[in-house]
Amino acid sequence: MVTVLRRAAALALAAGAAALAAACGGNPGRQDGDGIPPGPPPALPVEEYMPSPRQIAEDGWARTVLMARCLERFGIDSAYPDRRVLRGPATRTERRYGTPDAARAREWGYWLPGDDTAPQDAAPGAAENQVSSGTVAEYAGRKVPEGGCHGEAVRALDGPDATPQTYGDALRTANDMELAAYERARRHPQVRKAEQMWAACMADKGYDLPADVFSASDRLDLPPVRPRPDPSSPEIATAVADAACMGEASVAVVWQTVEAACQREEIVKDPAKWEGVRRTYRAHFANVERVLRDNPPRG
C-alpha cells in the first residue's frame, strides 16, 4: 500500500513538473497538470548547442590525428596512439540524475558496462612536449607553428571562420549554461520532493540516506580505478534498490523536465547569441568529421 500511494504521489509530482514548460523558478507549478506523456522526458535544449559524448570523443581523436601528422614533420613519433574507442556514457543524460536502469544495475552495479580502464600509453618525451606545446620556436631546423602542434590542430578544427568566436568559446558558453541550469533545477521544489520520495523508498529497503540521489553510491566508497568492473554483492543490491526507487519517485523525469525548462529560459533571452553558438559548434564538427574521414586509423 505504501508503494502504491507513493507511486501515485510521484505521478502527481511529475504532472506538476510537466507544467513547468514556461518557467523553472522557485514556484513549484501546478499540481493538476495533464501529466507527462508516456516515454522519455523532454530532450535537453542545450544538446542543440554542444557535442554529444561521441562527438567529444571524435574531437579528441581528430586532435590526436592532426598533432601526430604535425609531429611527423619534425621527425617525432607521437606517444599517443590513434585509438578510436568510445568510453564512458553514450548520451549526455546517462547517469546525469543518478543510478543506471535496473537491468544494468543487476549486472554492473554502479559501473558503466564494459572495461572502464583504458590501456596505458607511453609518456611523451621532452621533444614531443616542446613541439606539441610550442615552447620552442624551432626544432630540427623547422619553425614550430604558433601554439605548437596543439595550436595548429585547434586552428584546423576551428576553421578560417572561427573569429570572433572559436569552438572553445562556444563550448564554454554552453557548458556554463548547462551547469547553471542543472544546479538550478536540482534546487527546485519539485526535484527536492522527488528526492525526498526516493529517500523514503530507500529507507523502506533498509538504506538510511539523505534526500540526495547520489548518496547511495557515495556511501559505497567505490575505488576510482580497477582493472575491470567487478561489483560486489552489496554494491549490486544497493544499485538495484536505488534504480527501483529512482523509478518509483520519477526522479529523472521530474529533474530533466525542470532542467529542460531552465535551459529554454536562458536560450530565449538571447536567441542571436545561441544561434552563433550553434553555427560555431556545427562548423567545428564538420571539420572533425572531415579529418577523421580523410585519416582512417592506421594499422
Side-chain angles (χ1 to χ4, degrees):
M1 177 61 72
V2 172
T3 297
V4 172
L5 293 174
R6 192 158 51 222
R7 183 58 182 159
L11 291 174
L13 183 62
L20 294 172
C24 79
N27 188 333
R30 290 173 50 198
Q31 296 295 319
D32 59 346
D34 293 330
I36 292 178
L44 295 175
V46 78
E47 293 185 32
E48 288 287 314
Y49 306 93
M50 64 191 311
S52 67
R54 179 167 188 86
Q55 286 178 313
I56 292 172
E58 289 173 346
D59 180 62
W61 301 340
R63 288 171 193 253
T64 296
V65 167
L66 291 172
M67 288 181 64
R69 303 300 180 268
C70 174
L71 289 165
E72 285 176 358
R73 302 201 306 266
F74 297 89
I76 301 171
D77 290 329
S78 174
Y80 297 105
D82 184 5
R83 185 185 295 118
R84 303 182 191 182
V85 179
L86 182 63
R87 299 182 182 277
T91 68
R92 298 200 70 81
T93 54
E94 185 176 355
R95 306 298 181 91
R96 187 178 184 84
Y97 308 107
T99 195
D101 60 48
R104 286 189 175 181
R106 279 191 292 271
E107 184 174 1
W108 297 99
Y110 286 98
W111 291 88
L112 288 166
D115 188 347
D116 283 346
T117 304
Q120 294 297 308
D121 299 326
E128 180 174 351
N129 282 330
Q130 291 170 345
V131 176
S132 292
S133 62
T135 54
V136 293
E138 184 177 301
Y139 184 85
R142 299 179 67 99
K143 182 180 178 181
V144 174
E146 181 183 354
C149 288
H150 178 264
E152 181 178 277
V154 168
R155 289 189 294 274
L157 295 178
D158 277 345
D161 301 323
T163 55
Q165 175 175 250
T166 67
Y167 167 67
D169 297 329
L171 186 60
R172 279 188 290 274
T173 297
N175 272 332
D176 288 348
M177 185 271 275
E178 181 186 40
L179 179 59
Y182 177 88
E183 291 298 334
R184 188 178 174 193
R186 186 172 192 175
R187 295 191 298 271
H188 194 278
Q190 297 281 20
V191 177
R192 297 300 301 136
K193 287 180 184 178
E195 287 195 299
Q196 289 162 7
M197 293 172 65
W198 168 86
C201 175
M202 290 295 283
D204 286 348
K205 297 178 184 296
Y207 298 92
D208 182 17
L209 298 167
D212 175 351
V213 295
F214 297 102
S215 61
S217 57
D218 288 346
R219 290 291 181 90
L220 290 167
D221 193 25
L222 302 177
V225 176
R226 53 185 171 183
R228 273 190 64 83
D230 187 18
S232 64
S233 295
E235 177 182 338
I236 289 176
T238 304
V240 168
D242 194 351
C245 289
M246 285 286 289
E248 184 176 312
S250 298
V251 175
V253 174
V254 172
W255 195 335
Q256 188 167 330
T257 300
V258 175
E259 185 179 359
C262 293
Q263 292 181 3
R264 282 193 296 272
E265 274 193 3
E266 291 304 310
I267 291 168
V268 299
K269 289 177 183 178
D270 194 344
K273 177 182 80 172
W274 288 101
E275 183 54 35
V277 170
R278 190 206 309 266
R279 285 197 303 269
T280 301
Y281 151 62
R282 289 184 174 175
H284 179 87
F285 279 95
N287 291 327
V288 167
E289 291 172 8
R290 175 183 52 78
V291 168
L292 295 179
R293 182 179 61 249
D294 294 346
N295 296 272
R298 294 179 173 181

mmCIF file with all atom_site columns, all heavy atoms in Angstrom, residues 89-109:
data_model
loop_
_atom_site.group_PDB
_atom_site.id
_atom_site.type_symbol
_atom_site.label_atom_id
_atom_site.label_alt_id
_atom_site.label_comp_id
_atom_site.label_asym_id
_atom_site.label_entity_id
_atom_site.label_seq_id
_atom_site.pdbx_PDB_ins_code
_atom_site.Cartn_x
_atom_site.Cartn_y
_atom_site.Cartn_z
_atom_site.occupancy
_atom_site.B_iso_or_equiv
_atom_site.pdbx_formal_charge
_atom_site.auth_seq_id
_atom_site.auth_comp_id
_atom_site.auth_asym_id
_atom_site.auth_atom_id
_atom_site.pdbx_PDB_model_num
ATOM 1   N N   . PRO A 1 89  ? 29.795 7.304  -20.755 1.00 0.00 ? 89  PRO A N   1
ATOM 2   C CA  . PRO A 1 89  ? 28.372 7.365  -21.101 1.00 0.00 ? 89  PRO A CA  1
ATOM 3   C C   . PRO A 1 89  ? 28.160 7.593  -22.594 1.00 0.00 ? 89  PRO A C   1
ATOM 4   O O   . PRO A 1 89  ? 28.946 8.271  -23.254 1.00 0.00 ? 89  PRO A O   1
ATOM 5   C CB  . PRO A 1 89  ? 27.873 8.569  -20.283 1.00 0.00 ? 89  PRO A CB  1
ATOM 6   C CG  . PRO A 1 89  ? 28.854 8.700  -19.168 1.00 0.00 ? 89  PRO A CG  1
ATOM 7   C CD  . PRO A 1 89  ? 30.173 8.296  -19.735 1.00 0.00 ? 89  PRO A CD  1
ATOM 8   N N   . ALA A 1 90  ? 27.067 7.052  -23.119 1.00 0.00 ? 90  ALA A N   1
ATOM 9   C CA  . ALA A 1 90  ? 26.768 7.199  -24.545 1.00 0.00 ? 90  ALA A CA  1
ATOM 10  C C   . ALA A 1 90  ? 25.942 8.442  -24.832 1.00 0.00 ? 90  ALA A C   1
ATOM 11  O O   . ALA A 1 90  ? 25.897 8.916  -25.973 1.00 0.00 ? 90  ALA A O   1
ATOM 12  C CB  . ALA A 1 90  ? 26.025 5.962  -25.043 1.00 0.00 ? 90  ALA A CB  1
ATOM 13  N N   . THR A 1 91  ? 25.267 8.996  -23.823 1.00 0.00 ? 91  THR A N   1
ATOM 14  C CA  . THR A 1 91  ? 24.438 10.188 -24.009 1.00 0.00 ? 91  THR A CA  1
ATOM 15  C C   . THR A 1 91  ? 24.741 11.197 -22.908 1.00 0.00 ? 91  THR A C   1
ATOM 16  O O   . THR A 1 91  ? 25.341 10.856 -21.877 1.00 0.00 ? 91  THR A O   1
ATOM 17  C CB  . THR A 1 91  ? 22.933 9.840  -23.965 1.00 0.00 ? 91  THR A CB  1
ATOM 18  O OG1 . THR A 1 91  ? 22.590 9.434  -22.628 1.00 0.00 ? 91  THR A OG1 1
ATOM 19  C CG2 . THR A 1 91  ? 22.608 8.714  -24.940 1.00 0.00 ? 91  THR A CG2 1
ATOM 20  N N   . ARG A 1 92  ? 24.271 12.418 -23.076 1.00 0.00 ? 92  ARG A N   1
ATOM 21  C CA  . ARG A 1 92  ? 24.505 13.460 -22.073 1.00 0.00 ? 92  ARG A CA  1
ATOM 22  C C   . ARG A 1 92  ? 23.718 13.192 -20.798 1.00 0.00 ? 92  ARG A C   1
ATOM 23  O O   . ARG A 1 92  ? 24.090 13.689 -19.730 1.00 0.00 ? 92  ARG A O   1
ATOM 24  C CB  . ARG A 1 92  ? 24.110 14.836 -22.626 1.00 0.00 ? 92  ARG A CB  1
ATOM 25  C CG  . ARG A 1 92  ? 24.890 15.303 -23.816 1.00 0.00 ? 92  ARG A CG  1
ATOM 26  C CD  . ARG A 1 92  ? 24.797 16.813 -23.983 1.00 0.00 ? 92  ARG A CD  1
ATOM 27  N NE  . ARG A 1 92  ? 25.528 17.487 -22.919 1.00 0.00 ? 92  ARG A NE  1
ATOM 28  C CZ  . ARG A 1 92  ? 26.852 17.673 -22.908 1.00 0.00 ? 92  ARG A CZ  1
ATOM 29  N NH1 . ARG A 1 92  ? 27.577 17.237 -23.907 1.00 0.00 ? 92  ARG A NH1 1
ATOM 30  N NH2 . ARG A 1 92  ? 27.435 18.288 -21.913 1.00 0.00 ? 92  ARG A NH2 1
ATOM 31  N N   . THR A 1 93  ? 22.626 12.449 -20.904 1.00 0.00 ? 93  THR A N   1
ATOM 32  C CA  . THR A 1 93  ? 21.782 12.252 -19.724 1.00 0.00 ? 93  THR A CA  1
ATOM 33  C C   . THR A 1 93  ? 22.029 10.920 -19.015 1.00 0.00 ? 93  THR A C   1
ATOM 34  O O   . THR A 1 93  ? 21.461 10.697 -17.945 1.00 0.00 ? 93  THR A O   1
ATOM 35  C CB  . THR A 1 93  ? 20.292 12.341 -20.117 1.00 0.00 ? 93  THR A CB  1
ATOM 36  O OG1 . THR A 1 93  ? 20.023 11.427 -21.181 1.00 0.00 ? 93  THR A OG1 1
ATOM 37  C CG2 . THR A 1 93  ? 19.941 13.752 -20.561 1.00 0.00 ? 93  THR A CG2 1
ATOM 38  N N   . GLU A 1 94  ? 22.853 10.047 -19.591 1.00 0.00 ? 94  GLU A N   1
ATOM 39  C CA  . GLU A 1 94  ? 23.146 8.779  -18.913 1.00 0.00 ? 94  GLU A CA  1
ATOM 40  C C   . GLU A 1 94  ? 23.899 9.056  -17.607 1.00 0.00 ? 94  GLU A C   1
ATOM 41  O O   . GLU A 1 94  ? 24.920 9.721  -17.600 1.00 0.00 ? 94  GLU A O   1
ATOM 42  C CB  . GLU A 1 94  ? 23.982 7.869  -19.822 1.00 0.00 ? 94  GLU A CB  1
ATOM 43  C CG  . GLU A 1 94  ? 24.211 6.488  -19.229 1.00 0.00 ? 94  GLU A CG  1
ATOM 44  C CD  . GLU A 1 94  ? 24.956 5.558  -20.179 1.00 0.00 ? 94  GLU A CD  1
ATOM 45  O OE1 . GLU A 1 94  ? 25.213 5.948  -21.337 1.00 0.00 ? 94  GLU A OE1 1
ATOM 46  O OE2 . GLU A 1 94  ? 25.296 4.444  -19.752 1.00 0.00 ? 94  GLU A OE2 1
ATOM 47  N N   . ARG A 1 95  ? 23.369 8.596  -16.520 1.00 0.00 ? 95  ARG A N   1
ATOM 48  C CA  . ARG A 1 95  ? 23.914 8.799  -15.162 1.00 0.00 ? 95  ARG A CA  1
ATOM 49  C C   . ARG A 1 95  ? 23.825 10.256 -14.700 1.00 0.00 ? 95  ARG A C   1
ATOM 50  O O   . ARG A 1 95  ? 24.347 10.597 -13.641 1.00 0.00 ? 95  ARG A O   1
ATOM 51  C CB  . ARG A 1 95  ? 25.371 8.338  -15.061 1.00 0.00 ? 95  ARG A CB  1
ATOM 52  C CG  . ARG A 1 95  ? 25.629 6.910  -15.511 1.00 0.00 ? 95  ARG A CG  1
ATOM 53  C CD  . ARG A 1 95  ? 24.876 5.908  -14.655 1.00 0.00 ? 95  ARG A CD  1
ATOM 54  N NE  . ARG A 1 95  ? 25.130 4.540  -15.069 1.00 0.00 ? 95  ARG A NE  1
ATOM 55  C CZ  . ARG A 1 95  ? 26.090 3.781  -14.582 1.00 0.00 ? 95  ARG A CZ  1
ATOM 56  N NH1 . ARG A 1 95  ? 26.880 4.244  -13.651 1.00 0.00 ? 95  ARG A NH1 1
ATOM 57  N NH2 . ARG A 1 95  ? 26.252 2.554  -15.015 1.00 0.00 ? 95  ARG A NH2 1
ATOM 58  N N   . ARG A 1 96  ? 23.173 11.106 -15.460 1.00 0.00 ? 96  ARG A N   1
ATOM 59  C CA  . ARG A 1 96  ? 23.114 12.522 -15.089 1.00 0.00 ? 96  ARG A CA  1
ATOM 60  C C   . ARG A 1 96  ? 22.336 12.744 -13.798 1.00 0.00 ? 96  ARG A C   1
ATOM 61  O O   . ARG A 1 96  ? 22.635 13.649 -13.018 1.00 0.00 ? 96  ARG A O   1
ATOM 62  C CB  . ARG A 1 96  ? 22.464 13.312 -16.229 1.00 0.00 ? 96  ARG A CB  1
ATOM 63  C CG  . ARG A 1 96  ? 22.468 14.820 -16.065 1.00 0.00 ? 96  ARG A CG  1
ATOM 64  C CD  . ARG A 1 96  ? 21.840 15.470 -17.290 1.00 0.00 ? 96  ARG A CD  1
ATOM 65  N NE  . ARG A 1 96  ? 21.882 16.912 -17.260 1.00 0.00 ? 96  ARG A NE  1
ATOM 66  C CZ  . ARG A 1 96  ? 22.918 17.643 -17.645 1.00 0.00 ? 96  ARG A CZ  1
ATOM 67  N NH1 . ARG A 1 96  ? 24.013 17.051 -18.077 1.00 0.00 ? 96  ARG A NH1 1
ATOM 68  N NH2 . ARG A 1 96  ? 22.882 18.964 -17.602 1.00 0.00 ? 96  ARG A NH2 1
ATOM 69  N N   . TYR A 1 97  ? 21.326 11.921 -13.577 1.00 0.00 ? 97  TYR A N   1
ATOM 70  C CA  . TYR A 1 97  ? 20.446 12.120 -12.427 1.00 0.00 ? 97  TYR A CA  1
ATOM 71  C C   . TYR A 1 97  ? 20.529 10.978 -11.421 1.00 0.00 ? 97  TYR A C   1
ATOM 72  O O   . TYR A 1 97  ? 19.665 10.860 -10.549 1.00 0.00 ? 97  TYR A O   1
ATOM 73  C CB  . TYR A 1 97  ? 19.005 12.289 -12.908 1.00 0.00 ? 97  TYR A CB  1
ATOM 74  C CG  . TYR A 1 97  ? 18.862 13.351 -13.969 1.00 0.00 ? 97  TYR A CG  1
ATOM 75  C CD1 . TYR A 1 97  ? 18.635 13.004 -15.293 1.00 0.00 ? 97  TYR A CD1 1
ATOM 76  C CD2 . TYR A 1 97  ? 18.997 14.705 -13.656 1.00 0.00 ? 97  TYR A CD2 1
ATOM 77  C CE1 . TYR A 1 97  ? 18.527 13.971 -16.277 1.00 0.00 ? 97  TYR A CE1 1
ATOM 78  C CE2 . TYR A 1 97  ? 18.897 15.672 -14.636 1.00 0.00 ? 97  TYR A CE2 1
ATOM 79  C CZ  . TYR A 1 97  ? 18.661 15.303 -15.946 1.00 0.00 ? 97  TYR A CZ  1
ATOM 80  O OH  . TYR A 1 97  ? 18.563 16.273 -16.920 1.00 0.00 ? 97  TYR A OH  1
ATOM 81  N N   . GLY A 1 98  ? 21.543 10.152 -11.541 1.00 0.00 ? 98  GLY A N   1
ATOM 82  C CA  . GLY A 1 98  ? 21.677 9.092  -10.558 1.00 0.00 ? 98  GLY A CA  1
ATOM 83  C C   . GLY A 1 98  ? 22.018 7.750  -11.164 1.00 0.00 ? 98  GLY A C   1
ATOM 84  O O   . GLY A 1 98  ? 22.776 7.660  -12.124 1.00 0.00 ? 98  GLY A O   1
ATOM 85  N N   . THR A 1 99  ? 21.435 6.710  -10.614 1.00 0.00 ? 99  THR A N   1
ATOM 86  C CA  . THR A 1 99  ? 21.818 5.339  -10.897 1.00 0.00 ? 99  THR A CA  1
ATOM 87  C C   . THR A 1 99  ? 21.406 4.884  -12.301 1.00 0.00 ? 99  THR A C   1
ATOM 88  O O   . THR A 1 99  ? 20.545 5.498  -12.929 1.00 0.00 ? 99  THR A O   1
ATOM 89  C CB  . THR A 1 99  ? 21.179 4.412  -9.843  1.00 0.00 ? 99  THR A CB  1
ATOM 90  O OG1 . THR A 1 99  ? 21.798 3.152  -9.876  1.00 0.00 ? 99  THR A OG1 1
ATOM 91  C CG2 . THR A 1 99  ? 19.700 4.252  -10.105 1.00 0.00 ? 99  THR A CG2 1
ATOM 92  N N   . PRO A 1 100 ? 21.990 3.800  -12.802 1.00 0.00 ? 100 PRO A N   1
ATOM 93  C CA  . PRO A 1 100 ? 21.566 3.247  -14.083 1.00 0.00 ? 100 PRO A CA  1
ATOM 94  C C   . PRO A 1 100 ? 20.201 2.575  -13.972 1.00 0.00 ? 100 PRO A C   1
ATOM 95  O O   . PRO A 1 100 ? 19.610 2.507  -12.890 1.00 0.00 ? 100 PRO A O   1
ATOM 96  C CB  . PRO A 1 100 ? 22.656 2.214  -14.382 1.00 0.00 ? 100 PRO A CB  1
ATOM 97  C CG  . PRO A 1 100 ? 23.138 1.791  -13.039 1.00 0.00 ? 100 PRO A CG  1
ATOM 98  C CD  . PRO A 1 100 ? 23.089 3.044  -12.206 1.00 0.00 ? 100 PRO A CD  1
ATOM 99  N N   . ASP A 1 101 ? 19.699 2.058  -15.097 1.00 0.00 ? 101 ASP A N   1
ATOM 100 C CA  . ASP A 1 101 ? 18.434 1.330  -15.035 1.00 0.00 ? 101 ASP A CA  1
ATOM 101 C C   . ASP A 1 101 ? 18.646 0.001  -14.303 1.00 0.00 ? 101 ASP A C   1
ATOM 102 O O   . ASP A 1 101 ? 19.774 -0.432 -14.065 1.00 0.00 ? 101 ASP A O   1
ATOM 103 C CB  . ASP A 1 101 ? 17.853 1.112  -16.428 1.00 0.00 ? 101 ASP A CB  1
ATOM 104 C CG  . ASP A 1 101 ? 18.774 0.306  -17.335 1.00 0.00 ? 101 ASP A CG  1
ATOM 105 O OD1 . ASP A 1 101 ? 19.273 -0.749 -16.897 1.00 0.00 ? 101 ASP A OD1 1
ATOM 106 O OD2 . ASP A 1 101 ? 18.993 0.723  -18.481 1.00 0.00 ? 101 ASP A OD2 1
ATOM 107 N N   . ALA A 1 102 ? 17.522 -0.634 -13.980 1.00 0.00 ? 102 ALA A N   1
ATOM 108 C CA  . ALA A 1 102 ? 17.586 -1.829 -13.130 1.00 0.00 ? 102 ALA A CA  1
ATOM 109 C C   . ALA A 1 102 ? 18.378 -2.960 -13.781 1.00 0.00 ? 102 ALA A C   1
ATOM 110 O O   . ALA A 1 102 ? 19.127 -3.676 -13.110 1.00 0.00 ? 102 ALA A O   1
ATOM 111 C CB  . ALA A 1 102 ? 16.170 -2.290 -12.805 1.00 0.00 ? 102 ALA A CB  1
ATOM 112 N N   . ALA A 1 103 ? 18.229 -3.132 -15.101 1.00 0.00 ? 103 ALA A N   1
ATOM 113 C CA  . ALA A 1 103 ? 18.929 -4.226 -15.770 1.00 0.00 ? 103 ALA A CA  1
ATOM 114 C C   . ALA A 1 103 ? 20.439 -4.062 -15.666 1.00 0.00 ? 103 ALA A C   1
ATOM 115 O O   . ALA A 1 103 ? 21.163 -5.015 -15.373 1.00 0.00 ? 103 ALA A O   1
ATOM 116 C CB  . ALA A 1 103 ? 18.496 -4.306 -17.235 1.00 0.00 ? 103 ALA A CB  1
ATOM 117 N N   . ARG A 1 104 ? 20.926 -2.855 -15.899 1.00 0.00 ? 104 ARG A N   1
ATOM 118 C CA  . ARG A 1 104 ? 22.366 -2.610 -15.783 1.00 0.00 ? 104 ARG A CA  1
ATOM 119 C C   . ARG A 1 104 ? 22.812 -2.693 -14.330 1.00 0.00 ? 104 ARG A C   1
ATOM 120 O O   . ARG A 1 104 ? 23.918 -3.152 -14.037 1.00 0.00 ? 104 ARG A O   1
ATOM 121 C CB  . ARG A 1 104 ? 22.720 -1.257 -16.382 1.00 0.00 ? 104 ARG A CB  1
ATOM 122 C CG  . ARG A 1 104 ? 22.680 -1.246 -17.902 1.00 0.00 ? 104 ARG A CG  1
ATOM 123 C CD  . ARG A 1 104 ? 23.247 0.039  -18.451 1.00 0.00 ? 104 ARG A CD  1
ATOM 124 N NE  . ARG A 1 104 ? 23.321 -0.006 -19.904 1.00 0.00 ? 104 ARG A NE  1
ATOM 125 C CZ  . ARG A 1 104 ? 23.801 0.983  -20.652 1.00 0.00 ? 104 ARG A CZ  1
ATOM 126 N NH1 . ARG A 1 104 ? 24.234 2.095  -20.070 1.00 0.00 ? 104 ARG A NH1 1
ATOM 127 N NH2 . ARG A 1 104 ? 23.850 0.890  -21.957 1.00 0.00 ? 104 ARG A NH2 1
ATOM 128 N N   . ALA A 1 105 ? 21.984 -2.216 -13.428 1.00 0.00 ? 105 ALA A N   1
ATOM 129 C CA  . ALA A 1 105 ? 22.344 -2.270 -12.011 1.00 0.00 ? 105 ALA A CA  1
ATOM 130 C C   . ALA A 1 105 ? 22.557 -3.707 -11.559 1.00 0.00 ? 105 ALA A C   1
ATOM 131 O O   . ALA A 1 105 ? 23.474 -3.999 -10.788 1.00 0.00 ? 105 ALA A O   1
ATOM 132 C CB  . ALA A 1 105 ? 21.262 -1.601 -11.169 1.00 0.00 ? 105 ALA A CB  1
ATOM 133 N N   . ARG A 1 106 ? 21.718 -4.631 -12.049 1.00 0.00 ? 106 ARG A N   1
ATOM 134 C CA  . ARG A 1 106 ? 21.845 -6.027 -11.642 1.00 0.00 ? 106 ARG A CA  1
ATOM 135 C C   . ARG A 1 106 ? 23.151 -6.651 -12.125 1.00 0.00 ? 106 ARG A C   1
ATOM 136 O O   . ARG A 1 106 ? 23.697 -7.539 -11.480 1.00 0.00 ? 106 ARG A O   1
ATOM 137 C CB  . ARG A 1 106 ? 20.659 -6.835 -12.175 1.00 0.00 ? 106 ARG A CB  1
ATOM 138 C CG  . ARG A 1 106 ? 19.404 -6.719 -11.338 1.00 0.00 ? 106 ARG A CG  1
ATOM 139 C CD  . ARG A 1 106 ? 18.357 -7.729 -11.748 1.00 0.00 ? 106 ARG A CD  1
ATOM 140 N NE  . ARG A 1 106 ? 17.828 -7.448 -13.084 1.00 0.00 ? 106 ARG A NE  1
ATOM 141 C CZ  . ARG A 1 106 ? 16.798 -6.659 -13.320 1.00 0.00 ? 106 ARG A CZ  1
ATOM 142 N NH1 . ARG A 1 106 ? 16.176 -6.062 -12.301 1.00 0.00 ? 106 ARG A NH1 1
ATOM 143 N NH2 . ARG A 1 106 ? 16.367 -6.459 -14.536 1.00 0.00 ? 106 ARG A NH2 1
ATOM 144 N N   . GLU A 1 107 ? 23.657 -6.171 -13.272 1.00 0.00 ? 107 GLU A N   1
ATOM 145 C CA  . GLU A 1 107 ? 24.874 -6.759 -13.826 1.00 0.00 ? 107 GLU A CA  1
ATOM 146 C C   . GLU A 1 107 ? 26.129 -6.003 -13.438 1.00 0.00 ? 107 GLU A C   1
ATOM 147 O O   . GLU A 1 107 ? 27.171 -6.599 -13.154 1.00 0.00 ? 107 GLU A O   1
ATOM 148 C CB  . GLU A 1 107 ? 24.778 -6.821 -15.347 1.00 0.00 ? 107 GLU A CB  1
ATOM 149 C CG  . GLU A 1 107 ? 25.973 -7.517 -15.997 1.00 0.00 ? 107 GLU A CG  1
ATOM 150 C CD  . GLU A 1 107 ? 25.789 -7.698 -17.493 1.00 0.00 ? 107 GLU A CD  1
ATOM 151 O OE1 . GLU A 1 107 ? 24.744 -7.271 -18.025 1.00 0.00 ? 107 GLU A OE1 1
ATOM 152 O OE2 . GLU A 1 107 ? 26.707 -8.264 -18.125 1.00 0.00 ? 107 GLU A OE2 1
ATOM 153 N N   . TRP A 1 108 ? 26.039 -4.665 -13.406 1.00 0.00 ? 108 TRP A N   1
ATOM 154 C CA  . TRP A 1 108 ? 27.239 -3.844 -13.257 1.00 0.00 ? 108 TRP A CA  1
ATOM 155 C C   . TRP A 1 108 ? 27.287 -3.015 -11.975 1.00 0.00 ? 108 TRP A C   1
ATOM 156 O O   . TRP A 1 108 ? 28.272 -2.311 -11.734 1.00 0.00 ? 108 TRP A O   1
ATOM 157 C CB  . TRP A 1 108 ? 27.363 -2.888 -14.453 1.00 0.00 ? 108 TRP A CB  1
ATOM 158 C CG  . TRP A 1 108 ? 27.534 -3.605 -15.755 1.00 0.00 ? 108 TRP A CG  1
ATOM 159 C CD1 . TRP A 1 108 ? 26.568 -3.876 -16.682 1.00 0.00 ? 108 TRP A CD1 1
ATOM 160 C CD2 . TRP A 1 108 ? 28.745 -4.157 -16.268 1.00 0.00 ? 108 TRP A CD2 1
ATOM 161 N NE1 . TRP A 1 108 ? 27.102 -4.561 -17.739 1.00 0.00 ? 108 TRP A NE1 1
ATOM 162 C CE2 . TRP A 1 108 ? 28.441 -4.748 -17.510 1.00 0.00 ? 108 TRP A CE2 1
ATOM 163 C CE3 . TRP A 1 108 ? 30.059 -4.222 -15.798 1.00 0.00 ? 108 TRP A CE3 1
ATOM 164 C CZ2 . TRP A 1 108 ? 29.395 -5.384 -18.293 1.00 0.00 ? 108 TRP A CZ2 1
ATOM 165 C CZ3 . TRP A 1 108 ? 31.004 -4.853 -16.577 1.00 0.00 ? 108 TRP A CZ3 1
ATOM 166 C CH2 . TRP A 1 108 ? 30.673 -5.434 -17.814 1.00 0.00 ? 108 TRP A CH2 1
ATOM 167 N N   . GLY A 1 109 ? 26.228 -3.067 -11.169 1.00 0.00 ? 109 GLY A N   1
ATOM 168 C CA  . GLY A 1 109 ? 26.218 -2.183 -10.007 1.00 0.00 ? 109 GLY A CA  1
ATOM 169 C C   . GLY A 1 109 ? 26.189 -0.736 -10.469 1.00 0.00 ? 109 GLY A C   1
ATOM 170 O O   . GLY A 1 109 ? 25.360 -0.354 -11.286 1.00 0.00 ? 109 GLY A O   1
#
